Amino acid sequence: MSSTTDASTGRAQISERTLRTDRWWLPPLLNVAGLGLWVIYATVRAFMHAYYFTNEQNYSYLTPFYSPCFSVGCYPEASHFGQFLPDWWWLPYAAISLPFLLLFRLTCYYYRKAYYRAFYLSPPACAVAEPHKKYTGETRFPLLAQNLHRYFFYIAALISLVNTYDAVVAFINKDGSFGFGLGNIILVANVVLLWLYTASCHSCRSIIGGRLNHFSKHPLRYKLWGQVSILNGKHMQLAWTTLASLAITDFYIMAVSAGWWGDPRIVG
Ligand code: FES
């Protein structure tokens, strides 16, 4: 190893890329695999325009990938909020919500860390030099737009309300009777996880507890901030768990609506 000190920064100039001897490359590699596979699956499903609603069955499960279903191509029973989008093959049926959900996750503080490291190697890991010569961080366009995360948080919270509505109406069978099966449990679990992920957002924490000079004068916000802060500590785990729960929920509904698997009914 050869090293000198950069006089302007006082930092050591080490010729080796890294002195780490552990498997520092494993987390970015897993992130490439996990995020890459999920994006491929979600893209295929978003454009499939099929197997998103249990149309043949008496119960009504709608996958979150197609909610709200605004296209005129949607099954009318799956369109809880109207149909006004044209039915074009390149336009997802949930074309209003999906871009905002994507932007919410793309600008998420955790995912930024994950994909900057995994895909852009900036840097690939702590104490591992990045290949880029110049670093402007998020101070310029387009990465400056990462600051819009707070606004995507508000929209994502609204979409979580829609997903909650979908999970609740799924307890009403098409003949009007009450019923539930394994699919309802999966839908409800997914919605609970989505809310936990949304509430654990750094922007949510700052909206609830930020811009206060005295916590003592705002006991309710202080209490909420404390609880959101606990969730915030689990944000990375919730980010991955919700990716898994979204894919599992969607796959389950695809399997039931395609007739690959019958939903075990507990009631009705
Ligand atoms: Fe991850 Fe807001 S920081 S969703």
Side-chain angles (χ1 to χ4, degrees):
M1 178 188 81
S2 69
S3 86
T4 56
T5 302
D6 183 319
S8 61
T9 62
R11 294 170 72 180
Q13 296 296 294
I14 300 168
S15 55
E16 279 77 4
R17 188 172 175 213
T18 183
L19 301 179
R20 286 181 64 168
T21 53
D22 62 337
R23 293 190 294 172
W24 58 264
W25 44 266
L26 191 58
L29 188 68
L30 291 175
N31 283 339
V32 167
L35 294 174
L37 283 174
W38 197 89
V39 167
I40 292 169
Y41 176 82
T43 307
V44 170
R45 283 294 289 141
F47 290 95
M48 193 181 270
H49 293 181
Y51 309 133
Y52 58 90
F53 181 67
T54 51
N55 191 47
E56 303 296 324
Q57 294 79 358
N58 186 30
Y59 40 91
S60 18
Y61 297 153
L62 173 65
T63 166
F65 283 30
Y66 283 70
S67 177
C69 210
F70 281 137
S71 168
V72 294
C74 299
Y75 295 114
E77 301 91 330
S79 294
H80 301 137
F81 303 96
Q83 299 179 322
F84 54 86
L85 289 178
D87 185 6
W88 292 329
W89 68 266
W90 52 265
L91 193 67
Y93 283 181
I96 302 290
S97 55
L98 292 186
F100 289 109
L101 291 176
L102 178 68
L103 288 167
F104 179 51
R105 299 239 172 192
L106 264 184
T107 56
C108 162
Y109 291 29
Y110 165 68
Y111 286 115
R112 269 142 79 174
K113 171 188 156 193
Y115 70 78
Y116 285 168
R117 290 185 173 201
F119 292 94
Y120 199 57
L121 310 178
S122 183
C126 288
V128 181
E130 59 180 304
H132 313 287
K133 296 248 180 316
K134 227 170 68 184
Y135 177 77
T136 56
E138 296 174 339
T139 59
R140 295 187 192 166
F141 185 81
L143 292 185
L144 189 61
Q146 301 281 27
N147 289 311
L148 296 173
H149 182 66
R150 163 181 294 235
Y151 303 102
F152 298 137
F153 161 78
Y154 291 127
I155 300 171
L158 272 180
I159 297 169
S160 290
L161 276 178
V162 172
N163 294 144
T164 307
Y165 179 82
D166 293 338
V168 170
V169 297
F171 285 97
I172 304 168
N173 291 328
K174 290 190 187 122
D175 62 9
S177 61
F178 169 82
F180 76 94
L182 179 57
N184 293 91
I185 295 170
I186 292 174
L187 275 168
V188 169
N190 178 55
V191 157
V192 169
L193 286 167
L194 286 179
W195 275 116
L196 290 176
Y197 170 69
T198 309
S200 72
C201 167
H202 292 68
S203 291
C204 176
R205 183 168 176 264
S206 132
I207 290 162
I208 287 179
R211 292 175 176 269
L212 294 180
N213 288 331
H214 306 285
F215 269 139
S216 56
K217 291 190 180 148
H218 302 272
L220 183 60
R221 284 182 68 181
Y222 179 59
K223 198 168 164 41
L224 282 174
W225 177 81
Q227 284 166 353
V228 164
S229 297
I230 295 171
L231 278 180
N232 184 253
K234 302 273 176 224
H235 194 57
M236 177 183 79
Q237 289 88 335
L238 286 165
W240 280 105
T241 311
T242 47
L243 284 190
S245 72
L246 280 165
I248 290 169
T249 306
D250 177 74
F251 188 83
Y252 184 85
I253 291 171
M254 176 166 64
V256 172
S257 67
W260 305 338
W261 163 265
D263 182 54
R265 303 300 291 167
I266 298 160
V267 175

